[in-house]
């Protein structure tokens, strides 16, 4: 199970100049925003990274980081865990289960999840909330991460596991956003 008390949410490089190049980026963005909203509602810490924001811009507003009280960290390493500020922010949460979403699946997401494994953490990569410019890169990244020992889940799986019960007060608040998710045509 992906327990919320053990989880942090890591939003990797969902930036202004990168998003338009991502295959089916709108569907991934919708799921990233759901994860951020759920994290905020359930007290899951959020750490967001921005790869060279002077060139790629900042995190797109649709992600909803302002509502999640997220730590936003600039980086130049592809493996965000190699950036001391990111590693320190995640270590400070005391939670060994980073749930990773963002762009690009085969570069920064892949290397960040591998870095999490190197730290001895138990990362989850959210398959429908990560994206790449090309479908083949997305698929190869997920296959490699599975082989390396990362857990692969979907955004809806993560949210329902964080909730644990329909009696959680956040359930009714999150249900409309879950129901509003686009269909399979938006997922690679």
């Amino acid at each position: 199970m992906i327990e919320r008390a053990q989880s942090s949410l890591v939003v990797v490089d969902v930036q202004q100049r990168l998003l338009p190049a991502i295959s089916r980026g709108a569907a991934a963005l919708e799921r990233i925003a759901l994860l951020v909203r759920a994290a905020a509602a359930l007290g899951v810490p959020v750490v967001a990274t921005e790869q060279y924001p002077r060139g790629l811009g900042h995190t797109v507003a649709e992600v909803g980081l302002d509502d999640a009280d997220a730590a936003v960290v600039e980086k130049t390493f592809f493996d965000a865990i190699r950036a001391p500020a990111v590693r320190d922010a995640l270590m400070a949460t005391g939670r060994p289960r980073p749930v990773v979403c963002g762009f690009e699946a085969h570069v920064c997401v892949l290397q960040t999840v591998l870095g999490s494994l190197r730290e001895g953490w138990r990362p989850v990569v959210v398959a429908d909330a990560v994206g790449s410019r090309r479908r083949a890169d997305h698929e190869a990244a997920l296959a490699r991460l599975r082989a390396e020992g990362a857990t692969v889940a979907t955004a809806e799986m993560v949210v329902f596991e964080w909730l644990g019960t329909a009696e959680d007060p956040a359930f009714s608040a999150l249900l409309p956003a879950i129901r509003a998710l686009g269909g399979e045509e938006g997922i690679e």
Side-chain angles (χ1 to χ4, degrees), residues 2-160:
I2 305 166
E3 299 284 340
R4 71 177 167 206
Q6 296 295 309
S7 298
S8 58
L9 179 64
V10 182
V11 180
V12 177
D13 306 345
V14 184
Q15 292 168 259
Q16 297 159 341
R17 290 187 188 92
L18 191 53
L19 178 59
I22 301 299
S23 174
R24 297 188 175 120
L29 180 61
E30 184 178 45
R31 284 150 178 84
I32 293 165
L34 171 64
L35 289 166
V36 170
R37 184 173 174 187
L42 297 168
V44 173
V46 179
V47 176
T49 67
E50 294 181 342
Q51 178 75 22
Y52 185 65
R54 287 181 300 282
L56 294 174
H58 292 285
T59 304
V60 297
E62 294 87 347
V63 169
L65 293 180
D66 291 340
D67 297 330
D69 192 30
V72 180
V73 183
E74 183 176 334
K75 68 178 181 66
T76 55
F77 289 104
F78 301 129
D79 170 4
I81 308 306
R82 290 185 61 205
V86 175
R87 186 178 180 284
D88 291 349
L90 289 171
M91 292 291 287
T93 71
R95 296 174 179 222
R97 193 91 158 138
V99 175
V100 183
C101 60
F103 306 139
E104 282 195 72
H106 66 294
V107 183
C108 292
V109 169
L110 174 90
Q111 291 187 38
T112 298
V113 173
L114 293 176
S116 297
L117 287 165
R118 183 183 64 244
E119 290 293 325
W121 301 336
R122 298 177 302 121
V124 176
V125 62
V126 187
D128 59 346
V130 298
S132 292
R133 288 168 286 142
R134 290 176 294 281
R135 184 177 181 151
D137 288 327
H138 180 268
E139 291 172 358
L142 293 177
R144 180 165 174 206
L145 289 169
R146 278 186 189 98
E148 295 285 347
T151 299
V152 178
T154 67
E156 196 167 325
M157 290 165 71
V158 170
V159 172
F160 277 99

